[in-house]
Amino acid sequence: MGIQKYCIMVLCAVSFSVVQISSKFDFTNIKCNSFDKEFSDFEHCYIKPINRSYKYVAVKVKLFKTPITKVNIGIFKRFNGYNGYRPFMYNITVDACRFLNDTKRNPTASYLYSFMKPFSNMNHSCPFDHDLIVDKLPIQFVNDQVTKVLPVPEGDYVYETNWFAYGIKRAAVKVYGTIS
Ligand SMILES: *[C@@H]1O[C@H](CO)[C@@H](O)[C@H](O)[C@H]1NC(C)=O
Ligand SMILES: *[C@@H]1O[C@H](CO)[C@@H](O)[C@H](O)[C@H]1NC(C)=O
Ligand SMILES: *[C@@H]1O[C@H](CO)[C@@H](O)[C@H](O)[C@H]1NC(C)=O
Ligand SMILES: *[C@@H]1O[C@H](CO)[C@@H](O)[C@H](O)[C@H]1NC(C)=O
């Protein structure tokens, strides 16, 4: 390899690591599942890259029968030598109405909820008798949550929410991300 070519590669590596530092978190995948289409369905569910520094998640679920009563939230991490993800932080279930009425009572759920709160229309008391939206949740926000608010080690993660009504799981949203 010629010295010039080598230098160009080093330059690339340097600028790449600069980008990495300014944004350590990235969304890698999103999966939305409705288990009962008569109950709820997703109008949209996607990750949208706008440019190198701006990429966001948008989810809209239409509820045909209300209300949603329980929500299970957890963050799972992929571990080497283990086929799949294992609970990393929390795998908790909250009564949506009681929790949103006073989020301070449950700090764990509050932390998990904080990932979507500013971008969702769930910030009100019950009932949830309308479509639920998480709109334009950007990587930069998640990055601040996992590097400044509560530092999280590098790795592959999935943020999973399961939505229950009348004791039955109706829908699930999984957002995959990586911290490097
Ligand atoms: C990326 O897109 C956002 C939204 O359109 C814009 O505000 C920002 O300046 C863009 N950043 C770059 C580096 O182009
Ligand atoms: C998380 O908790 C729910 C409810 O307790 C349980 O059904 C589910 O299997 C758990 N998920 C994992 C991956 O442990
Ligand atoms: C909501 O919070 C208020 C004040 O803390 C309390 O009086 C009320 O009973 C709560 N309602 C529910 C449904 O938990
Ligand atoms: C909604 O969010 C705002 C700002 O975060 C907060 O002041 C308000 O109390 C919240 N409303 C409810 C019903 O939780």
Side-chain angles (χ1 to χ4, degrees), residues 26-30 44-59 134-140 175-176:
D26 195 11
F27 291 124
T28 52
N29 200 2
I30 185 166
H44 58 244
C45 167
Y46 58 79
I47 296 171
K48 192 171 176 84
I50 302 294
N51 55 38
R52 276 220 304 205
S53 55
Y54 185 45
K55 189 183 199 179
Y56 64 76
V57 154
V59 176
V134 173
D135 197 29
K136 296 185 182 166
L137 165 62
I139 41 173
Q140 198 50 54
V175 180
Y176 295 79

Side-chain angles (χ1 to χ4, degrees), residues 100-103 113 117 122-125:
L100 287 168
N101 189 38
D102 183 6
T103 55
Y113 174 52
K117 185 180 175 188
M122 288 164 231
N123 174 22
H124 63 72
S125 51

Side-chain angles (χ1 to χ4, degrees), residues 139-173:
I139 41 173
Q140 198 50 54
F141 178 77
V142 178
N143 194 49
D144 284 351
Q145 293 287 107
V146 299
T147 58
K148 291 178 193 154
V149 178
L150 188 68
V152 172
E154 293 181 0
D156 296 326
Y157 294 88
V158 54
Y159 178 96
E160 181 173 336
T161 58
N162 294 297
W163 304 78
F164 294 79
Y166 307 106
I168 299 168
K169 182 152 101 172
R170 310 291 178 162
V173 177

Side-chain angles (χ1 to χ4, degrees), residues 9-39:
M9 281 180 71
V10 169
L11 263 182
C12 277
V14 168
S15 56
F16 184 68
S17 66
V18 167
V19 170
Q20 292 283 297
I21 287 162
S22 67
S23 181
K24 293 176 76 179
F25 175 83
D26 195 11
F27 291 124
T28 52
N29 200 2
I30 185 166
K31 288 181 188 165
C32 295
N33 258 312
S34 172
F35 302 108
D36 179 355
K37 297 251 160 88
E38 284 186 6
F39 187 89

Side-chain angles (χ1 to χ4, degrees), residues 95 97-102 105 125-126:
D95 178 308
C97 291
R98 280 182 54 195
F99 169 67
L100 287 168
N101 189 38
D102 183 6
R105 265 198 319 217
S125 51
C126 281

